[in-house]
Amino acid sequence: MSLLSVIVPCYNEEQAIPFFYEEICKTISVFNKEFPEVDFELLFIDDGSSDNTLPVVKSLRENDKRVHFVSFSRNFGKEAGIYAGLENSKGDYAVIMDADLQDPPSLLPDMYRSLVVEGYDSAATRRVTRKGEPVIRSFFARMFYRLINRLSKTEIVDGARDYRIMTRRMVDAILSMKEVNRFTKGIYGWVGFKTKWFEYENIERIAGETKWSFWKLLLYSIEGIVAFSTTPLAFAAMLGLLFTLISFVLIIFIIIRTLILGDPTSGWPSMVCIITFLGGIQLFCMGVIGEYLAKAYMETKNRPIYISKEEE
Ligand code: UDP
Ligand code: MG
């Protein structure tokens, strides 16, 4: 027998969980026709929900002992939820799935097959369309992936979902990365392992609404870049060098001009422009450095990634 842990991060998903449970039970019975040797564990991570997510999960557990949960003391974010799920999973394989059915459980048998039959360590999914999403959000998302892949050596796949099945050794590799600033898409790329990709069209969530505002996504993208690239720091240094060179050329130009034409005291508007321009660039570069410093500061505190108040 082998055990497959299904990890479901949930934040205010009281509406979606019943649909999810029904769907995953269907998938499990299909799954067990092909692979009768696999047992399931359904691990719900209640990420400090303020609605009835936890009672709903508890009522599932009353009738189904495959259901387990970890409940956080507050909202720690999905990344912490994924970490807690992996840490508390007992399976030989673990799969992460959203509660809103945007990650179709029906793909699971195929994904599992690529692990046990084809010898992959992981099967992951990416959506090839962003149908149903605001156009502007899709645009920025695409820009972000282009940028981060330029900046970082770690491969970060555009449209990759967190829906992914992994072998225990990959789970352990991920758990060995204890960083607090967790950008899971980068972590997957960083640990390596052979990954098979499944593609599907975007599916809209079954109930409830998305927990991601544009602002949250923007901050998250900056975290991703800071976590997996130090190129912006080099960029600041290069910018400094460039401006030093430009100013050097300008100094020579002004000396020569003064020698030829004398010394008319004019040109303060251009001076103001130059000062504000350079001031802006300096503050920007300081901000970039500050961003890294802040992250380093948070990491040195060594705080736990999540705090659980109840688990079963
Ligand atoms: N989620 C979570 N903690 C959070 C935000 C989201 O555990 O702070 C869960 C959420 O319940 C869902 C999954 O992460 O199961 C994906 O969230 P959502 O559907 O809101 O994101 P989207 O699919 O729109 O990217
Ligand atoms: Mg969703």
Side-chain angles (χ1 to χ4, degrees):
M1 291 305 278
S2 65
L3 182 68
L4 172 52
S5 306
V6 180
I7 296 163
V8 195
C10 305
Y11 178 49
N12 292 346
E13 297 284 8
E14 60 174 11
Q15 293 169 21
I17 288 173
F19 292 106
F20 174 80
Y21 181 72
E22 192 183 319
E23 203 54 40
I24 192 77
C25 287
K26 273 189 218 150
T27 302
I28 290 175
S29 56
V30 174
F31 193 102
N32 280 144
K33 280 195 195 108
E34 190 179 347
F35 306 103
E37 75 285 3
V38 179
D39 273 337
F40 277 81
E41 167 188 60
L42 301 176
L43 180 53
F44 290 88
I45 311 297
D46 165 33
D47 187 5
S49 301
S50 52
D51 68 355
N52 282 324
T53 297
L54 188 58
V56 169
V57 171
K58 278 183 176 166
S59 71
L60 291 178
R61 180 166 163 78
E62 268 163 30
N63 305 315
D64 185 349
K65 288 298 165 211
R66 295 172 304 180
V67 174
H68 297 268
F69 66 86
V70 177
S71 180
F72 288 179
S73 60
R74 64 168 171 87
N75 179 247
F76 279 87
K78 187 181 182 187
E79 304 294 345
I82 292 176
Y83 185 84
L86 293 174
E87 192 171 54
N88 288 280
S89 69
K90 298 180 194 71
D92 309 294
Y93 303 92
V95 60
I96 297 157
M97 241 186 246
D98 283 3
D100 57 8
L101 289 179
Q102 279 189 304
D103 299 333
S106 53
L107 272 179
L108 199 55
D110 290 336
M111 290 166 74
Y112 179 77
R113 194 178 306 115
S114 56
L115 264 57
V116 289
V117 179
E118 294 167 50
Y120 286 93
D121 281 291
S122 161
T125 55
R126 59 183 289 258
R127 49 180 181 180
V128 281
T129 59
R130 290 176 165 271
K131 200 174 66 201
E133 202 185 54
V135 183
I136 184 114
R137 179 179 287 198
S138 308
F139 171 75
F140 277 106
R142 253 196 304 277
M143 295 288 287
F144 164 71
Y145 282 108
R146 221 183 274 169
L147 181 68
I148 197 168
N149 278 308
R150 279 273 173 81
L151 295 181
S152 174
K153 286 198 199 91
T154 307
E155 199 202 351
I156 291 156
V157 179
D158 185 2
R161 306 269 317 159
D162 288 323
Y163 185 19
R164 180 186 284 258
I165 185 170
M166 290 168 271
T167 55
R168 177 48 51 181
R169 56 181 173 207
M170 181 156 174
V171 171
D172 288 340
I174 290 171
L175 290 174
S176 73
M177 294 175 80
K178 303 271 181 217
E179 59 212 75
V180 182
N181 177 21
R182 299 189 78 76
F183 185 68
T184 313
K185 288 188 172 76
I187 289 178
Y188 290 141
W190 196 89
V191 296
F193 291 105
K194 240 172 81 179
T195 299
K196 180 166 181 178
W197 288 93
F198 286 80
E199 297 185 344
Y200 62 88
E201 306 252 312
N202 191 30
I203 303 164
E204 291 188 43
R205 60 162 41 241
I206 183 108
E209 50 193 60
T210 176
K211 312 297 180 295
W212 291 93
S213 63
F214 187 77
W215 181 244
K216 255 178 142 178
L217 279 175
L218 183 71
L219 293 181
Y220 183 63
S221 63
I222 294 176
E223 280 197 4
I225 292 173
V226 173
F228 281 92
S229 166
T230 51
T231 314
L233 289 173
F235 180 73
M238 260 145 44
L239 215 57
L241 205 64
L242 180 71
F243 276 98
T244 313
L245 284 177
I246 292 175
S247 71
F248 196 66
V249 173
L250 280 178
I251 288 169
I252 292 174
F253 169 75
I254 285 172
I255 290 176
I256 292 174
R257 196 183 62 171
T258 312
L259 288 178
I260 296 171
L261 298 176
D263 185 26
T265 8
S266 68
W268 73 266
S270 53
M271 191 70 94
V272 171
C273 294
I274 292 167
I275 289 173
T276 49
F277 178 66
L278 286 184
I281 289 194
Q282 279 176 347
L283 284 177
F284 173 75
C285 291
M286 265 167 68
V288 170
I289 297 169
E291 200 58 38
Y292 283 88
L293 189 63
K295 292 294 180 234
Y297 172 62
M298 291 315 285
E299 294 293 343
T300 55
K301 286 187 181 223
N302 234 327
R303 288 180 180 164
I305 295 166
Y306 68 93
I307 292 173
S308 130
K309 76 166 186 241
E310 203 182 338
E311 45 196 88
E312 245 174 75

